[in-house]
Amino acid sequence: MASQVAHDAYDAQTASGELNARPSALLNKVTSVLSTSYADLDVREALETLDQQDFQNTPEARRQLRLQVQKEVIDCNGEIIQEFGHVAEQLKHIGRIISHLNSCCDEMQRRVSASQQETSSTVEETTQLLSQRKELQTKQHIVERVLGHYSVSAEDQEILTTMHDPIDDRFFKALAEVKRIHRDCEVLLEADNQTLGLDIMERTSKILNRAFEKLYRWINDEFKNLDLESPQMNSTIRRAVRVLAERPMLFQDCLNFFAESREKVLLESFRTALTGSQQQSGGQQQQQQTNTTNAKPIELSAPDPQRYVGDMLAWLHSTTVSEREALEALFVGEGDELRKDVQAALERDPWERSRGESGTAFDGDKALNELVNRSLKSVAGLLRQRIEPVITSYEEPVGIYRLASLLPFYLSTFSKLLGREASILGTLKGLQDLAREQFRNLIKDRVLEIQDSGAHIIPHDDDDDLRPPSFLEEALGQLREIMKSYDTSFTSREEDEEEGFHPSLIEALDPFLHRCEELATEMETPRKEIFILNTLLPTRQELKPFEFTSERVKELNEKINGLAQNLVRNQHEFLVRSSGLHLLLEAIASIEPEPNDDDNDEAGEAEEGVLKKVSHLQPFQPEFLQEVSHKLDTFLPSAIMDAMERLKLLRDPKLVNDVTEDASRRFCEDFERVERNIVVLDEFLQIQPQREKMGTAENEEGEHEGMVSLRECFPRTSAEIRVLLS
């Protein structure tokens, strides 16, 4: 209907453009209709209401439209009022019901108040009972938790205390649980009431004591048949030892028992290695047979003392290394846990701590070394019994020295292996001292034997042999072997070589050199020097190749140089006396003035006075000089040969040449001195007549004119002497 009206309005608007002449009233209506906004909510609702009516667009219908709409509104309002009347009746009914409910509630409240008064005591009692019930439930829960945490099950207690049950993982698990309970009891002891804590601690302490006693006995039983050489050692016993370390006293007793057991086993093993006989039983015998099947008995090498002693020491070293490795795997295989357990036990138990060293931590390596040391105690005693007779019966100084040099190597080895406090070191040190004492005794016996034998015979002056005595050559041969042994021994690397070998050098060499010096005391020079040099030169030759004898070589060089200088002086004296030159030298020395540089005039006068004295001496008379010159000419052709012939018994040609050359050089210097004095004296005698011609008598003048030149009487020159003596 509304769309139809809109359509008509549009048509009317269209027609208005065509009918401009229509009345203005119609125009106004059309304008009003067209200006109406259909977006207004009221207009839209009116149009929607109009659409719902069966409206016919007729004049009559348009006139009745308002009345019809008002009538509908009035009818609608009437219906609403009628409905509200029904609502009012319902509200009145509800009010009556509420009033009835209020009266019922009041009655119920009255009755509840009465009942509450009657049941208040019961409710209070019930509340208290419920509170007590809750508290009891809480306590029951706590007690169950405490009992579950601090109680030892019957099964665990049986595992820990029954001796016939084996030691396995169940035992260690139960033991750990009991230790936990015992440790947690410290919390209970902090409470005001300590009864529970003390009771639980007492019961767990008894269980722990019996458990550790069972573990102690089981370990001792295992130690009786323990095979340390087995590559697959039972891990249970290692764990048991570590656990037992928590009780230091039981642990120490266990170690003592183990040490005694191993001491017997190692002693029997050593005897078996010596003799090859089997004396063990059971598993030990089987193991020992396995180890010694391919090894020869050590006593088979007894004829060779060095090999015999070396084999025993090598066996001892090998056994010690194996024993320590096995014990380390047994007692220290769990890392540092063993030391921690023992230290914790000492700190936890004041009684155990008071027995030990106060303030000293447990040293696992030291304890291990002590255990190995105790295991080797009997072996060390048997070793001493076997080696001592070998040393005391040894009669070869070189061999006994090699034994004495072998022992320091094992001393150092065992010191590094077992520590410096090991008792085996005392045994080896005693054997070393015994070997050195035996070496000194053999040297002393040899010296006494030399003194008692024909070696003390002194060579006579007419003997053509001044070679070193046989006993010295023998001693040098022994010394050579001793030095080679020391040079390759462990001692030369560990000690200062010079100081380390010095005592041995004194013992092995000095007695024989002293004996040679005693033999030379009754000889004449130069035989004395030649004999001593013949003993010192080969001695130096033997000592030179070794660095640790350098100081002694220096001492020998000083002695040799001193003796060589003695020979030089002796040879020089031989040349001077054999040539007759000593008379001239003695004359010159008797009147030669001391040098004076203060006054040249006084020095000249003194020299002139000396020349006058020399000119009157018999050795400087022409006849005497001719005799000396003749004797010198006779001596010079064979002078060197004669001098060297005197040293032919010296066994070092180079030293003979050096001594002779040095003596010849000194002789030439003496000859130059004599020649210089003769030339000066000859010049003095030639110019003296000219100085005294004015005051001399005629007979003196004739005497000077008839004097013979001294140089003509003694024509040899220094150059000729050097050529002849070169």
Side-chain angles (χ1 to χ4, degrees):
M1 185 64 181
S3 61
Q4 183 65 33
V5 172
H7 182 70
D8 291 341
Y10 178 76
D11 291 340
Q13 184 178 8
T14 307
S16 64
E18 298 176 355
L19 299 176
N20 295 324
R22 290 191 177 186
S24 58
L26 180 59
L27 180 61
N28 292 335
K29 289 185 178 181
V30 172
T31 304
S32 177
V33 171
L34 292 175
S35 62
T36 301
S37 175
Y38 295 101
D40 190 5
L41 184 61
D42 293 338
V43 174
R44 292 178 64 183
E45 289 180 355
L47 292 176
E48 289 177 359
T49 302
L50 185 61
D51 285 339
Q52 294 175 359
Q53 300 292 330
D54 188 11
F55 179 75
Q56 297 293 329
N57 190 11
T58 61
E60 184 65 23
R62 287 194 293 272
R63 287 193 296 271
Q64 295 296 325
L65 178 61
R66 180 182 294 276
L67 296 175
Q68 187 176 356
V69 171
Q70 292 178 350
K71 181 177 181 296
E72 289 179 359
V73 171
I74 292 172
D75 292 340
C76 182
N77 291 336
E79 292 177 359
I80 292 173
I81 292 171
Q82 186 178 359
E83 291 295 330
F84 271 107
H86 292 296
V87 171
E89 290 295 332
Q90 292 293 331
L91 290 175
K92 291 179 181 180
H93 181 67
I94 291 172
R96 290 192 296 271
I97 292 174
I98 291 174
S99 298
H100 180 69
L101 289 175
N102 288 333
S103 61
C104 290
C105 287
D106 293 338
E107 181 65 20
M108 290 176 63
Q109 185 176 4
R110 185 184 59 79
R111 291 181 180 181
V112 167
S113 298
S115 299
Q116 186 176 5
Q117 292 178 356
E118 294 177 357
T119 61
S120 59
S121 60
T122 304
V123 170
E124 292 178 359
E125 184 178 357
T126 302
T127 303
Q128 293 178 356
L129 291 176
L130 290 175
S131 177
Q132 292 177 0
R133 178 185 177 184
K134 184 177 181 180
E135 183 178 355
L136 290 176
Q137 288 178 347
T138 303
K139 290 182 178 180
Q140 182 181 2
H141 179 70
I142 293 174
V143 169
E144 290 177 354
R145 294 291 301 272
V146 169
L147 292 178
H149 188 78
Y150 289 99
S151 62
V152 181
S153 64
E155 181 182 0
D156 290 347
Q157 187 171 353
E158 182 179 1
I159 292 173
L160 293 175
T161 58
T162 305
M163 293 299 177
H164 64 270
D165 284 348
I167 301 295
D168 51 15
D169 291 339
R170 294 184 305 133
F171 175 86
F172 295 113
K173 184 178 180 181
L175 182 63
E177 180 66 18
V178 176
K179 289 192 293 185
R180 180 194 61 77
I181 295 173
H182 187 78
R183 183 175 58 255
D184 292 345
C185 286
E186 297 176 359
V187 179
L188 299 178
L189 295 178
E190 295 177 358
D192 295 336
N193 190 355
Q194 300 179 352
T195 305
L196 178 61
L198 293 175
D199 182 61
I200 295 177
M201 184 169 287
E202 181 181 1
R203 288 190 288 108
T204 55
S205 296
K206 292 180 180 179
I207 296 175
L208 286 175
N209 290 336
R210 297 185 63 183
F212 277 109
E213 183 180 358
K214 175 182 177 180
L215 186 64
Y216 167 74
R217 293 183 179 180
W218 181 83
I219 291 176
N220 285 341
D221 292 338
E222 290 293 321
F223 278 164
K224 292 179 181 179
N225 299 318
L226 180 64
D227 182 12
L228 291 180
E229 288 78 9
S230 175
Q232 297 178 348
M233 189 181 296
N234 188 1
S235 60
T236 304
I237 191 171
R238 290 201 297 266
R239 185 178 181 183
V241 169
R242 184 177 64 84
V243 172
L244 188 64
E246 299 177 12
R247 295 296 176 93
M249 292 300 295
L250 293 178
F251 180 69
Q252 188 60 43
D253 291 342
C254 185
L255 291 183
N256 294 338
F257 177 82
F258 178 77
E260 293 175 0
S261 176
R262 292 303 302 170
E263 183 178 1
K264 295 177 182 178
V265 171
L266 293 180
L267 180 61
E268 294 301 327
S269 299
F270 187 44
R271 288 175 177 171
T272 301
L274 288 173
T275 62
S277 61
Q278 306 293 332
Q279 298 180 3
Q280 291 81 7
S281 60
Q284 295 177 355
Q285 180 179 3
Q286 182 179 0
Q287 179 66 27
Q288 186 64 29
Q289 289 175 351
T290 303
N291 293 338
T292 59
T293 300
N294 298 325
K296 294 181 180 180
I298 297 177
E299 288 188 347
L300 291 179
S301 60
D304 185 357
Q306 294 184 21
R307 181 180 177 184
Y308 181 52
V309 175
D311 288 348
M312 286 190 288
L313 293 175
W315 183 94
L316 179 62
H317 174 251
S318 175
T319 302
T320 303
V321 172
S322 301
E323 185 77 6
R324 195 181 192 284
E325 290 177 351
L327 295 184
E328 186 174 4
L330 177 61
F331 293 104
V332 197
E334 299 292 337
D336 204 25
E337 295 297 328
L338 180 65
R339 184 192 64 81
K340 293 180 180 179
D341 291 339
V342 175
Q343 189 64 30
L346 290 174
E347 295 176 353
R348 185 170 55 250
D349 193 342
W351 298 103
E352 298 289 352
R353 186 170 62 250
S354 64
R355 295 188 185 97
E357 295 182 2
S358 176
T360 303
F362 176 77
D363 191 347
D365 291 337
K366 182 178 179 181
L368 183 63
N369 291 337
E370 290 178 355
L371 184 60
V372 178
N373 188 39
R374 292 177 58 187
S375 301
L376 296 173
K377 183 178 180 181
S378 297
V379 174
L382 182 57
L383 181 72
R384 176 186 288 273
Q385 295 176 6
R386 293 302 182 109
I387 296 181
E388 281 183 350
V390 175
I391 294 176
T392 54
S393 61
Y394 216 140
E395 297 181 356
E396 291 292 334
V398 176
I400 200 66
Y401 184 83
R402 287 175 179 172
L403 286 182
S405 301
L406 176 65
L407 291 170
F409 167 76
Y410 286 98
L411 273 170
S412 177
T413 302
F414 282 105
S415 176
K416 296 177 182 178
L417 191 62
L418 301 178
R420 296 185 178 275
E421 299 179 359
S423 61
I424 189 65
L425 299 181
T427 300
L428 296 178
K429 188 66 171 60
L431 293 174
Q432 182 186 17
D433 295 340
L434 180 63
R436 289 179 175 176
E437 182 65 24
Q438 179 67 10
F439 175 74
R440 288 191 291 267
N441 292 335
L442 291 175
I443 297 298
K444 292 179 182 178
D445 293 342
R446 178 56 181 161
V447 173
L448 293 176
E449 181 182 352
I450 292 171
Q451 293 176 350
D452 295 337
S453 65
H456 66 279
I457 300 176
I458 303 173
H460 297 289
D461 292 342
D462 56 352
D463 290 342
D464 293 335
D465 190 3
L466 290 179
R467 67 174 181 270
S470 59
F471 66 83
L472 180 63
E473 294 178 348
E474 178 184 353
L476 291 178
Q478 293 179 354
L479 181 62
R480 185 188 313 114
E481 298 298 325
I482 290 173
M483 289 188 295
K484 290 180 180 179
S485 176
Y486 180 82
D487 190 36
T488 58
S489 68
F490 181 79
T491 307
S492 63
R493 295 188 296 270
E494 285 292 309
E495 302 176 353
D496 180 66
E497 293 186 350
E498 191 74 28
E499 295 296 331
F501 189 71
H502 184 67
S504 301
L505 187 61
I506 293 176
E507 295 167 358
L509 179 62
D510 286 3
F512 302 98
L513 292 180
H514 292 161
R515 180 55 185 162
C516 292
E517 292 176 357
E518 292 175 359
L519 294 177
T521 53
E522 299 183 10
M523 295 182 185
E524 298 293 335
T525 303
R527 295 177 60 84
K528 175 181 178 180
E529 285 76 7
I530 293 175
F531 179 72
I532 297 178
L533 283 172
N534 285 340
T535 61
L536 295 181
L537 290 173
T539 303
R540 183 182 65 177
Q541 191 66 24
E542 294 292 343
L543 298 180
K544 265 188 176 181
F546 304 97
E547 295 181 358
F548 49 85
T549 58
S550 58
E551 291 297 328
R552 190 56 182 273
V553 171
K554 292 180 181 178
E555 295 178 5
L556 292 178
N557 286 334
E558 293 177 359
K559 289 185 178 181
I560 292 173
N561 291 335
L563 294 171
Q565 291 302 316
N566 291 341
L567 287 179
V568 169
R569 287 191 291 270
N570 184 264
Q571 286 287 78
H572 172 252
E573 184 178 359
F574 165 75
L575 293 176
V576 170
R577 291 189 176 277
S578 298
S579 63
L581 202 64
H582 66 288
L583 297 174
L584 301 177
L585 292 173
E586 291 173 358
I588 293 173
S590 63
I591 61 174
E592 195 170 38
E594 296 181 0
N596 188 1
D597 297 334
D598 296 338
D599 192 343
N600 293 330
D601 295 336
E602 294 181 359
E605 293 177 359
E607 183 178 359
E608 184 176 351
V610 169
L611 291 175
K612 287 181 179 181
K613 292 180 181 180
V614 171
S615 63
H616 293 86
L617 293 177
Q618 182 180 359
F620 286 92
Q621 300 304 316
E623 296 82 3
F624 195 89
L625 285 177
Q626 289 178 355
E627 293 179 4
V628 173
S629 178
H630 177 70
K631 186 176 182 180
L632 179 63
D633 292 339
T634 305
F635 167 74
L636 285 176
S638 62
I640 296 299
M641 297 300 296
D642 293 340
M644 296 185 68
E645 181 68 17
R646 299 178 74 249
L647 303 180
K648 66 178 182 179
L649 299 180
L650 183 60
R651 300 170 69 88
D652 187 351
K654 183 178 181 302
L655 183 59
V656 172
N657 292 331
D658 293 342
V659 169
T660 305
E661 289 179 2
D662 198 2
S664 301
R665 179 183 58 78
R666 294 187 182 185
F667 179 80
C668 292
E669 292 175 356
D670 291 341
F671 187 86
E672 289 178 356
R673 181 183 174 191
V674 172
E675 182 185 18
R676 185 169 56 254
N677 281 274
I678 291 176
V679 171
V680 173
L681 181 59
D682 204 10
E683 293 176 354
F684 173 76
L685 293 177
Q686 290 178 4
I687 65 174
Q688 185 68 16
Q690 297 177 2
R691 293 180 179 178
E692 299 177 350
K693 64 181 180 178
M694 300 303 296
T696 58
E698 294 179 356
N699 55 350
E700 291 180 354
E701 211 173 285
E703 182 180 352
H704 284 291
E705 290 177 357
M707 289 185 62
V708 180
S709 174
L710 299 181
R711 191 57 178 163
E712 294 178 359
C713 297
F714 197 84
R716 287 290 184 180
T717 63
S718 300
E720 294 175 350
I721 297 298
R722 292 185 181 279
V723 172
L724 292 173
L725 295 182
S726 61

